[in-house]
Amino acid sequence: ILLGTAVDGRVHLVASVDPGLVARGIKADVVVKQAAEIVGGGGGGRDTMAQAGGRHPDKLPEAIESARAAIEAALET
């Protein structure tokens, strides 16, 4: 799961990944960092839970789509 919102001109992201998917190569910290780069921020956390923020709320849809594409690509392998 990747959730994102924009409040007062700031982006807030949180990612949660089931341990079974971590074993398949999907890590919450990697997913959230990828999305955060797009919205002009950064973040981190653990393999199963991570948070991030950013400064460009207008890019939130692009960040969510980028993370989704990365997750889908990892699941195809």
Coordinates of all heavy atoms in Angstrom, one line a residue:
I1 N 0.8 -1.2 0.0 CA 0.0 0.0 0.0 C 0.9 1.2 0.0 O 1.8 1.3 0.8 CB -0.9 0.0 1.2 CG1 -1.9 -1.1 1.2 CG2 -1.7 1.4 1.3 CD1 -2.6 -1.3 2.5
L2 N 0.6 2.2 -0.8 CA 1.2 3.5 -0.8 C 0.1 4.5 -0.7 O -0.7 4.6 -1.6 CB 2.1 3.7 -2.0 CG 2.7 5.1 -2.1 CD1 3.7 5.3 -1.0 CD2 3.4 5.4 -3.4
L3 N 0.1 5.3 0.3 CA -0.8 6.4 0.5 C -0.1 7.7 0.4 O 1.0 7.9 0.9 CB -1.5 6.3 1.9 CG -2.3 5.0 2.1 CD1 -2.8 5.0 3.6 CD2 -3.4 4.8 1.1
G4 N -0.8 8.7 -0.2 CA -0.2 10.0 -0.3 C -1.3 11.1 -0.1 O -2.4 10.9 -0.6
T5 N -0.9 12.2 0.5 CA -1.8 13.3 0.6 C -1.0 14.6 0.5 O 0.2 14.6 0.8 CB -2.6 13.2 1.9 OG1 -3.6 14.2 1.9 CG2 -1.8 13.4 3.1
A6 N -1.7 15.7 0.3 CA -1.0 17.0 0.3 C -1.8 17.9 1.3 O -3.0 18.0 1.2 CB -1.0 17.6 -1.1
V7 N -1.1 18.5 2.2 CA -1.7 19.4 3.2 C -0.8 20.6 3.3 O 0.4 20.5 3.6 CB -1.8 18.6 4.6 CG1 -2.3 19.6 5.6 CG2 -2.6 17.4 4.5
D8 N -1.4 21.7 3.2 CA -0.7 23.0 3.4 C 0.6 23.1 2.5 O 1.7 23.5 3.0 CB -0.3 23.2 4.8 CG -1.5 23.4 5.7 OD1 -2.5 23.9 5.2 OD2 -1.4 23.0 6.9
G9 N 0.5 22.6 1.3 CA 1.6 22.7 0.3 C 2.7 21.7 0.5 O 3.7 21.8 -0.1
R10 N 2.5 20.7 1.4 CA 3.5 19.6 1.6 C 2.8 18.3 1.3 O 1.7 18.1 1.5 CB 3.9 19.6 3.1 CG 4.6 20.8 3.6 CD 6.0 21.0 3.3 NE 6.7 19.8 3.8 CZ 7.9 19.5 3.3 NH1 8.5 20.2 2.4 NH2 8.6 18.4 3.8
V11 N 3.7 17.4 0.8 CA 3.2 16.0 0.5 C 3.6 15.1 1.6 O 4.8 15.2 2.2 CB 3.9 15.6 -0.8 CG1 3.5 14.1 -1.1 CG2 3.5 16.5 -2.0
H12 N 2.7 14.2 2.0 CA 3.0 13.2 3.0 C 2.7 11.8 2.4 O 1.7 11.6 1.8 CB 2.1 13.4 4.2 CG 2.2 14.8 4.8 ND1 3.2 15.1 5.7 CD2 1.5 15.9 4.6 CE1 3.1 16.4 6.0 NE2 2.0 16.9 5.3
L13 N 3.7 10.9 2.5 CA 3.6 9.6 1.9 C 3.9 8.5 3.0 O 4.7 8.7 3.8 CB 4.6 9.4 0.8 CG 4.5 10.3 -0.4 CD1 5.8 10.3 -1.2 CD2 3.4 9.9 -1.3
V14 N 3.2 7.4 2.9 CA 3.4 6.3 3.8 C 3.3 5.0 2.9 O 2.3 4.9 2.1 CB 2.5 6.3 5.0 CG1 1.1 6.1 4.7 CG2 3.0 5.2 6.0
A15 N 4.2 4.1 3.1 CA 4.1 2.8 2.4 C 4.2 1.7 3.4 O 4.9 1.7 4.4 CB 5.3 2.7 1.4
S16 N 3.4 0.6 3.1 CA 3.4 -0.6 3.9 C 3.4 -1.8 3.0 O 2.7 -1.8 2.0 CB 2.1 -0.6 4.8 OG 2.0 -1.8 5.5
V17 N 4.3 -2.7 3.3 CA 4.5 -3.9 2.4 C 4.4 -5.1 3.3 O 5.1 -5.2 4.3 CB 5.8 -3.8 1.7 CG1 6.1 -5.1 0.9 CG2 5.9 -2.6 0.7
D18 N 3.6 -6.1 2.8 CA 3.5 -7.4 3.5 C 4.9 -8.1 3.5 O 5.6 -8.1 2.5 CB 2.5 -8.2 2.8 CG 2.2 -9.5 3.5 OD1 1.4 -9.6 4.4 OD2 2.9 -10.5 3.0
P19 N 5.2 -8.8 4.6 CA 6.5 -9.5 4.6 C 6.7 -10.5 3.4 O 7.8 -10.7 3.0 CB 6.5 -10.2 6.0 CG 5.7 -9.3 6.8 CD 4.6 -8.8 5.9
G20 N 5.6 -11.1 3.0 CA 5.6 -12.0 1.9 C 6.1 -11.3 0.6 O 6.8 -11.9 -0.3
L21 N 5.7 -10.0 0.4 CA 6.1 -9.3 -0.8 C 7.6 -8.8 -0.6 O 8.3 -8.6 -1.6 CB 5.2 -8.1 -1.0 CG 3.8 -8.5 -1.5 CD1 2.9 -7.3 -1.6 CD2 3.8 -9.3 -2.8
V22 N 8.0 -8.5 0.6 CA 9.4 -8.2 0.9 C 10.3 -9.3 0.4 O 11.3 -9.1 -0.3 CB 9.6 -7.8 2.4 CG1 11.1 -7.7 2.6 CG2 8.9 -6.6 2.8
A23 N 9.9 -10.5 0.6 CA 10.6 -11.7 0.2 C 10.7 -11.8 -1.3 O 11.6 -12.4 -1.9 CB 10.0 -13.0 0.8
R24 N 9.7 -11.1 -2.0 CA 9.8 -11.1 -3.5 C 10.5 -9.9 -4.0 O 10.5 -9.6 -5.2 CB 8.3 -11.1 -4.0 CG 7.7 -12.5 -3.7 CD 6.2 -12.5 -4.2 NE 6.1 -12.4 -5.6 CZ 4.9 -12.3 -6.2 NH1 3.8 -12.4 -5.5 NH2 4.9 -12.2 -7.5
G25 N 11.1 -9.1 -3.1 CA 11.9 -7.9 -3.6 C 11.2 -6.6 -3.5 O 11.8 -5.6 -3.9
I26 N 10.0 -6.5 -3.0 CA 9.4 -5.2 -2.8 C 9.6 -4.7 -1.4 O 9.2 -5.3 -0.5 CB 7.9 -5.3 -3.1 CG1 7.7 -5.8 -4.6 CG2 7.2 -3.9 -3.0 CD1 6.3 -6.1 -4.9
K27 N 10.2 -3.5 -1.3 CA 10.5 -3.0 0.0 C 9.9 -1.6 0.2 O 10.0 -0.7 -0.7 CB 12.0 -2.9 0.3 CG 12.6 -4.3 0.2 CD 14.1 -4.2 0.5 CE 14.7 -5.6 0.5 NZ 16.1 -5.6 0.8
A28 N 9.2 -1.3 1.3 CA 8.5 -0.1 1.5 C 9.5 1.1 1.5 O 9.1 2.2 0.9 CB 7.8 -0.1 2.9
D29 N 10.7 1.0 2.0 CA 11.6 2.1 2.0 C 12.0 2.5 0.6 O 12.1 3.7 0.2 CB 12.8 1.9 2.9 CG 13.6 0.7 2.5 OD1 13.1 -0.3 1.9 OD2 14.8 0.7 2.9
V30 N 12.2 1.5 -0.3 CA 12.6 1.8 -1.7 C 11.4 2.4 -2.4 O 11.6 3.4 -3.1 CB 13.0 0.5 -2.4 CG1 13.3 0.7 -3.8 CG2 14.3 -0.1 -1.7
V31 N 10.2 1.9 -2.2 CA 9.0 2.4 -2.9 C 8.7 3.9 -2.5 O 8.5 4.8 -3.3 CB 7.7 1.6 -2.6 CG1 6.5 2.2 -3.0 CG2 7.9 0.2 -3.2
V32 N 8.8 4.2 -1.2 CA 8.5 5.5 -0.7 C 9.6 6.5 -1.1 O 9.3 7.7 -1.5 CB 8.2 5.6 0.8 CG1 9.5 5.6 1.6 CG2 7.3 6.7 1.2
K33 N 10.8 6.1 -1.2 CA 11.9 7.0 -1.6 C 11.7 7.3 -3.1 O 12.0 8.5 -3.5 CB 13.3 6.3 -1.4 CG 13.7 6.4 0.0 CD 15.1 5.7 0.2 CE 15.5 5.6 1.6 NZ 16.8 4.9 1.8
Q34 N 11.3 6.4 -3.9 CA 11.1 6.6 -5.3 C 10.0 7.7 -5.5 O 10.2 8.6 -6.3 CB 10.8 5.4 -6.1 CG 10.5 5.6 -7.5 CD 10.2 4.3 -8.3 OE1 10.6 3.2 -7.9 NE2 9.6 4.4 -9.4
A35 N 8.9 7.5 -4.8 CA 7.8 8.5 -4.9 C 8.2 9.8 -4.3 O 7.9 10.9 -4.9 CB 6.6 7.9 -4.1
A36 N 9.0 9.8 -3.3 CA 9.4 11.1 -2.6 C 10.3 11.9 -3.6 O 10.3 13.1 -3.6 CB 10.1 10.8 -1.3
E37 N 11.2 11.3 -4.3 CA 12.0 12.0 -5.3 C 11.2 12.8 -6.2 O 11.6 13.9 -6.6 CB 12.9 11.0 -6.0 CG 14.1 10.4 -5.2 CD 15.0 9.5 -6.0 OE1 14.9 9.5 -7.2 OE2 15.7 8.7 -5.3
I38 N 10.1 12.2 -6.7 CA 9.3 12.9 -7.7 C 8.6 14.2 -7.1 O 8.5 15.2 -7.8 CB 8.2 12.0 -8.3 CG1 9.0 10.9 -9.1 CG2 7.2 12.7 -9.1 CD1 8.1 9.7 -9.5
V39 N 8.2 14.1 -5.8 CA 7.6 15.2 -5.2 C 8.6 16.2 -4.5 O 8.2 17.1 -3.7 CB 6.5 14.8 -4.2 CG1 5.3 14.1 -4.9 CG2 7.0 13.9 -3.1
G40 N 9.8 16.0 -4.8 CA 10.9 16.9 -4.2 C 11.2 16.7 -2.8 O 11.4 17.7 -2.1
G41 N 11.3 15.5 -2.3 CA 11.6 15.2 -0.9 C 12.3 14.0 -0.7 O 13.0 13.5 -1.6
G42 N 12.2 13.4 0.4 CA 12.9 12.2 0.8 C 12.2 11.5 2.0 O 11.3 12.1 2.5
G43 N 12.7 10.4 2.3 CA 12.2 9.6 3.4 C 12.9 8.3 3.5 O 13.9 8.0 2.9
G44 N 12.3 7.5 4.3 CA 12.9 6.1 4.6 C 12.1 5.4 5.6 O 11.1 5.8 6.1
G45 N 12.7 4.3 6.0 CA 12.0 3.5 7.0 C 12.5 2.0 7.0 O 13.7 1.8 6.6
R46 N 11.6 1.1 7.2 CA 12.0 -0.3 7.2 C 11.5 -1.0 5.9 O 10.7 -0.3 5.1 CB 11.3 -1.0 8.4 CG 11.8 -0.4 9.7 CD 11.2 -1.1 10.9 NE 9.7 -1.4 10.8 CZ 8.8 -0.6 11.2 NH1 9.1 0.6 11.8 NH2 7.5 -0.9 11.1
D47 N 11.8 -2.2 5.7 CA 11.3 -3.0 4.6 C 9.8 -3.0 4.5 O 9.2 -3.0 3.4 CB 11.9 -4.4 4.6 CG 13.4 -4.4 4.3 OD1 14.0 -3.4 3.9 OD2 13.9 -5.5 4.5
T48 N 9.2 -3.1 5.7 CA 7.7 -3.3 5.7 C 6.9 -2.0 5.9 O 5.7 -1.9 5.7 CB 7.3 -4.3 6.8 OG1 7.8 -3.8 8.1 CG2 7.8 -5.7 6.5
M49 N 7.6 -0.9 6.4 CA 6.9 0.4 6.7 C 7.8 1.5 6.5 O 8.9 1.5 7.0 CB 6.4 0.3 8.1 CG 5.7 1.6 8.5 SD 4.0 1.7 7.9 CE 3.3 2.9 8.9
A50 N 7.4 2.6 5.8 CA 8.3 3.7 5.5 C 7.4 5.0 5.3 O 6.2 4.9 4.9 CB 9.2 3.5 4.3
Q51 N 8.0 6.1 5.6 CA 7.3 7.4 5.4 C 8.2 8.4 4.7 O 9.5 8.3 4.7 CB 7.0 8.0 6.8 CG 6.1 7.2 7.6 CD 5.8 7.9 9.0 OE1 5.6 9.1 9.0 NE2 5.9 7.1 10.0
A52 N 7.6 9.4 4.0 CA 8.4 10.4 3.3 C 7.5 11.7 3.2 O 6.3 11.7 3.5 CB 8.8 9.9 1.9
G53 N 8.2 12.7 2.8 CA 7.5 14.0 2.5 C 8.1 14.6 1.3 O 9.2 14.2 0.8
G54 N 7.5 15.7 0.9 CA 7.9 16.4 -0.3 C 7.4 17.8 -0.4 O 6.5 18.2 0.4
R55 N 7.8 18.6 -1.4 CA 7.5 20.0 -1.5 C 6.6 20.3 -2.7 O 6.2 21.5 -2.9 CB 8.7 20.9 -1.6 CG 9.6 20.7 -0.4 CD 10.9 21.6 -0.6 NE 11.6 21.4 -1.8 CZ 12.5 20.4 -2.0 NH1 12.8 19.6 -1.0 NH2 13.1 20.3 -3.2
H56 N 6.3 19.3 -3.5 CA 5.6 19.6 -4.8 C 4.3 18.8 -4.9 O 4.2 17.7 -5.5 CB 6.4 19.2 -6.0 CG 7.7 20.0 -6.0 ND1 7.8 21.3 -6.2 CD2 9.0 19.5 -5.9 CE1 9.1 21.7 -6.1 NE2 9.8 20.6 -5.9
P57 N 3.2 19.3 -4.2 CA 1.9 18.5 -4.2 C 1.3 18.3 -5.6 O 0.6 17.3 -5.8 CB 1.0 19.3 -3.3 CG 1.7 20.7 -3.2 CD 3.1 20.5 -3.5
D58 N 1.7 19.1 -6.5 CA 1.1 19.0 -7.9 C 1.7 17.7 -8.6 O 1.1 17.2 -9.5 CB 1.4 20.2 -8.7 CG 2.9 20.5 -8.8 OD1 3.5 20.6 -7.7 OD2 3.4 20.7 -9.9
K59 N 2.8 17.2 -8.1 CA 3.4 16.0 -8.6 C 3.0 14.7 -7.9 O 3.5 13.6 -8.2 CB 4.9 16.1 -8.7 CG 5.3 17.2 -9.6 CD 6.8 17.2 -9.7 CE 7.2 18.3 -10.7 NZ 8.7 18.4 -10.9
L60 N 2.0 14.8 -7.0 CA 1.6 13.6 -6.2 C 1.0 12.5 -7.1 O 1.4 11.3 -6.9 CB 0.6 14.0 -5.1 CG 0.1 12.9 -4.2 CD1 1.3 12.1 -3.5 CD2 -0.8 13.4 -3.2
P61 N 0.1 12.8 -8.0 CA -0.3 11.7 -8.9 C 0.8 11.0 -9.7 O 0.8 9.8 -9.8 CB -1.3 12.4 -9.9 CG -1.8 13.6 -9.1 CD -0.5 14.0 -8.3
E62 N 1.7 11.7 -10.2 CA 2.9 11.2 -10.9 C 3.7 10.3 -10.0 O 4.2 9.2 -10.3 CB 3.8 12.3 -11.4 CG 5.0 11.8 -12.2 CD 5.9 13.0 -12.6 OE1 5.5 14.1 -12.6 OE2 7.0 12.7 -12.9
A63 N 3.9 10.7 -8.7 CA 4.7 9.9 -7.7 C 4.0 8.6 -7.4 O 4.6 7.5 -7.4 CB 4.9 10.7 -6.5
I64 N 2.7 8.6 -7.2 CA 1.9 7.4 -6.9 C 2.0 6.5 -8.1 O 2.2 5.3 -8.0 CB 0.4 7.8 -6.6 CG1 0.3 8.6 -5.4 CG2 -0.4 6.5 -6.5 CD1 0.6 7.9 -4.1
E65 N 1.8 7.0 -9.3 CA 1.9 6.1 -10.5 C 3.2 5.5 -10.7 O 3.4 4.4 -11.1 CB 1.5 6.9 -11.8 CG 1.4 6.1 -13.0 CD 0.5 4.9 -12.9 OE1 -0.5 4.9 -12.3 OE2 0.9 3.8 -13.5
S66 N 4.3 6.3 -10.4 CA 5.6 5.8 -10.6 C 5.9 4.6 -9.6 O 6.4 3.6 -9.9 CB 6.6 6.9 -10.3 OG 8.0 6.4 -10.2
A67 N 5.4 4.8 -8.4 CA 5.6 3.7 -7.4 C 4.8 2.5 -7.8 O 5.2 1.3 -7.7 CB 5.1 4.2 -6.0
R68 N 3.6 2.7 -8.3 CA 2.7 1.6 -8.7 C 3.4 0.8 -9.9 O 3.5 -0.4 -9.9 CB 1.4 2.1 -9.2 CG 0.5 1.0 -9.8 CD -0.8 1.6 -10.3 NE -1.5 0.5 -10.9 CZ -2.8 0.4 -10.9 NH1 -3.6 1.3 -10.3 NH2 -3.5 -0.6 -11.5
A69 N 4.0 1.5 -10.8 CA 4.7 0.9 -11.9 C 5.9 0.1 -11.4 O 6.1 -1.1 -11.9 CB 5.1 1.9 -12.9
A70 N 6.6 0.6 -10.4 CA 7.8 -0.1 -9.9 C 7.3 -1.4 -9.2 O 8.0 -2.4 -9.3 CB 8.5 0.8 -8.9
I71 N 6.2 -1.3 -8.4 CA 5.7 -2.5 -7.7 C 5.3 -3.6 -8.7 O 5.6 -4.7 -8.6 CB 4.6 -2.1 -6.8 CG1 5.1 -1.2 -5.6 CG2 3.8 -3.3 -6.3 CD1 4.0 -0.5 -4.8
E72 N 4.5 -3.1 -9.8 CA 4.0 -4.1 -10.8 C 5.2 -4.7 -11.5 O 5.2 -5.9 -11.7 CB 3.1 -3.4 -11.8 CG 1.8 -3.0 -11.2 CD 0.9 -2.3 -12.1 OE1 1.4 -1.8 -13.2 OE2 -0.3 -2.1 -11.8
A73 N 6.2 -4.0 -11.8 CA 7.4 -4.5 -12.5 C 8.1 -5.6 -11.6 O 8.5 -6.6 -12.1 CB 8.4 -3.4 -12.9
A74 N 8.2 -5.3 -10.3 CA 8.8 -6.2 -9.4 C 8.0 -7.5 -9.2 O 8.6 -8.6 -9.1 CB 9.0 -5.6 -8.0
L75 N 6.7 -7.4 -9.3 CA 5.8 -8.6 -9.2 C 5.9 -9.4 -10.4 O 5.6 -10.6 -10.4 CB 4.4 -8.2 -8.9 CG 4.2 -7.6 -7.5 CD1 2.7 -7.1 -7.4 CD2 4.4 -8.6 -6.4
E76 N 6.3 -8.9 -11.6 CA 6.3 -9.6 -12.8 C 7.6 -10.6 -12.9 O 7.6 -11.5 -13.7 CB 6.3 -8.7 -14.0 CG 5.0 -8.0 -14.2 CD 5.0 -7.0 -15.4 OE1 6.1 -6.8 -16.0 OE2 4.0 -6.4 -15.6
T77 N 8.5 -10.3 -12.1 CA 9.8 -11.1 -12.1 C 9.6 -12.4 -11.3 O 8.8 -12.6 -10.5 CB 11.0 -10.3 -11.6 OG1 10.8 -10.0 -10.3 CG2 11.3 -9.2 -12.5

